[in-house]
Amino acid sequence: MAILVTGGAGYIGSHTVKELLKRKYEVVVFDNLSTGHRELVRGGYLVQADLRSLEEVRKVFRRYRVEAVMHFAALMQVGESYADPQKYYLHNLISSLNLLQAMLEAGVKHLIFSSSAAVYGQPSEIPIREDHPLQPINPYGASKFMVERILPDYDRAYGLKYISLRYFNAAGADPEGELGEWHDPETHLIPNFLLYLQGRNPGFQVFGRDFPTSDGTAIRDYIHVTDLAAAHVLALEKLKSEQNSQVVNLGSSRGYSVLEVIRTAEKVTGRQASLKFGPRRPGDVPVLLASSERAETWLGWRREHSDLEFIIQTAWKWHLNH
Ligand code: UFG
């Protein structure tokens, strides 16, 4: 029996596939390779197909014996989602509905869903617990919220058991150097700044210096991608053993400002940068910080790699070799 991993050729998906293979799971990656990369799939089977086609999704369930699904495939650029919301609802919402339909037809009732801190919108309480109100402020976050809203209905009516994992800021790269963050275009802080230090990104700016934080730049909760990957395997095992649906934040519960990240990156790389400041990016909130209590107590998750220096060391190693 295999685990079907949609988006397994992407950043978090490929790191999770590696973790699954290490634990001897059979893996089938389903990816249209629009933003994923064949080179990041280091094992298992790769099916190049598109979730927006229900027939293509059905086909994979006919061809492989699937025991559970991890659903990473999605578009994830907040800015782009403002400019082209339809694209986000088609890729993130309609694709998810197709996947759920094909799962039910095939009798597959276990799902790990990639959600996001973006479902919370502007937080009213820090750290953010899972019972915080969900008020997404951009189409990307809304598309994740809508799938989360649908899942309990499918549980009640069809017995579909799921765990939605709400990621905070995924960062870093495989400590063994095989995998890393590879987006085109890149929008995230750590890779953008490392590319700038390498002279490969002339346009780096700090977005906003007037946030209500100690140094005026936005605070985020960075979590190592290998720790995220391990949480997915724990969630899968928990789902199989307990058959209970759940929603879990995945963050480090430690916040760093953009300037703190930059200073740490300068220290790790031994390179200095002269910084340019630009206006705030639309939709950026001042502080995002997870409560990890449920991940620790319910899931039994321990973060091993999420020290900011280690995150940046592994990302730097990937950027130097890639
Ligand atoms: N930033 C810069 N310069 C850059 C890139 C980012 O200053 O070149 C700043 C951003 O404005 C933000 C912080 O660095 O304050 C972190 O930005 P990222 O783009 O790395 O991450 P976000 O917090 O914007 O986004 C992450 C996920 C999204 C998710 C969101 C939840 O990547 O998928 O959290 O709100 F939607």
Side-chain angles (χ1 to χ4, degrees):
M1 296 286 272
I3 310 300
L4 181 69
V5 183
T6 76
Y11 174 46
I12 306 173
S14 63
H15 285 79
T16 305
V17 167
K18 179 167 177 167
E19 204 66 27
L20 285 167
L21 292 170
K22 266 191 188 167
R23 311 217 185 171
K24 306 289 177 225
Y25 281 96
E26 190 186 337
V27 175
V28 178
V29 169
F30 186 108
D31 202 303
N32 67 3
L33 300 179
S34 65
T35 55
H37 303 274
R38 190 180 292 278
E39 298 88 328
L40 296 181
V41 182
R42 297 300 188 98
Y45 303 97
L46 171 62
V47 177
Q48 186 177 351
D50 200 303
L51 285 171
R52 286 168 300 168
S53 157
L54 177 58
E55 218 23 65
E56 289 185 16
V57 191
R58 282 178 167 146
K59 232 191 253 169
V60 82
F61 283 95
R62 281 192 218 115
R63 187 156 153 215
Y64 297 96
R65 275 164 36 89
V66 174
E67 64 168 305
V69 176
M70 291 191 177
H71 180 32
F72 294 93
L75 298 175
M76 54 83 200
Q77 287 181 40
V78 172
E80 186 188 48
S81 81
Y82 278 116
D84 193 356
Q86 175 173 255
K87 190 171 166 188
Y88 274 69
Y89 294 120
L90 288 172
H91 276 87
N92 295 2
L93 178 60
I94 300 303
S95 293
S96 299
L97 285 169
N98 284 343
L99 177 65
L100 290 171
Q101 184 172 343
M103 284 176 68
L104 293 180
E105 287 170 0
V108 178
K109 301 234 167 137
H110 289 149
L111 173 72
I112 309 295
F113 174 61
S114 297
S115 189
S116 165
V119 297
Y120 295 116
Q122 170 82 48
S124 52
E125 240 177 72
I126 296 287
I128 305 172
R129 290 159 38 108
E130 288 83 353
D131 56 7
H132 184 285
L134 304 183
Q135 289 159 338
I137 53 173
N138 53 60
Y140 164 73
S143 71
K144 292 288 178 184
F145 164 74
M146 287 173 192
V147 177
E148 277 207 32
R149 173 64 192 80
I150 286 167
L151 291 175
D153 290 339
Y154 277 49
D155 182 350
R156 185 184 41 76
Y158 314 121
L160 179 105
K161 300 296 170 193
Y162 63 89
I163 298 181
S164 290
L165 298 174
R166 293 180 183 153
Y167 313 145
F168 283 66
N169 287 63
D174 169 29
E176 290 163 11
E178 288 183 345
L179 306 168
E181 194 164 3
W182 182 359
H183 295 127
D184 192 12
E186 188 49 80
T187 59
H188 294 117
L189 174 64
I190 292 175
N192 259 352
F193 185 64
L194 294 180
L195 289 167
Y196 178 61
L197 288 176
Q198 286 183 297
R200 293 161 70 191
N201 169 12
F204 180 81
Q205 289 188 358
V206 175
F207 297 130
R209 63 191 314 183
D210 59 350
F211 286 102
T213 59
S214 59
D215 64 19
T217 64
I219 292 176
R220 293 289 179 273
D221 178 333
Y222 296 90
I223 177 80
H224 197 286
V225 64
T226 300
D227 284 342
L228 282 184
H232 286 75
V233 181
L234 280 176
L236 176 68
E237 284 162 4
K238 189 86 172 167
L239 201 53
K240 287 201 291 185
S241 64
E242 292 190 12
Q243 307 286 336
N244 275 329
S245 296
Q246 186 55 283
V247 177
V248 183
N249 282 340
L250 294 178
S252 71
S253 303
R254 169 85 167 84
Y256 291 95
S257 73
V258 172
L259 285 179
E260 284 174 319
V261 171
I262 285 174
R263 298 298 165 233
T264 308
E266 287 179 332
K267 182 175 156 210
V268 166
T269 61
R271 301 190 188 186
Q272 298 289 313
S274 62
L275 291 180
K276 286 186 220 114
F277 288 84
R280 291 185 187 191
R281 223 168 36 176
D284 273 352
V285 300
V287 182
L288 277 178
L289 190 60
S291 158
S292 305
E293 205 184 315
R294 187 177 289 173
E296 287 163 13
T297 54
W298 184 77
L299 201 55
W301 184 51
R302 298 281 168 272
R303 294 172 298 274
E304 285 178 34
H305 303 292
S306 292
D307 165 73
L308 184 62
E309 279 195 24
F310 188 72
I311 287 177
I312 295 175
Q313 276 164 17
T314 54
W316 183 235
K317 183 164 129 191
W318 165 256
H319 281 282
L320 287 178
N321 295 321
H322 185 70

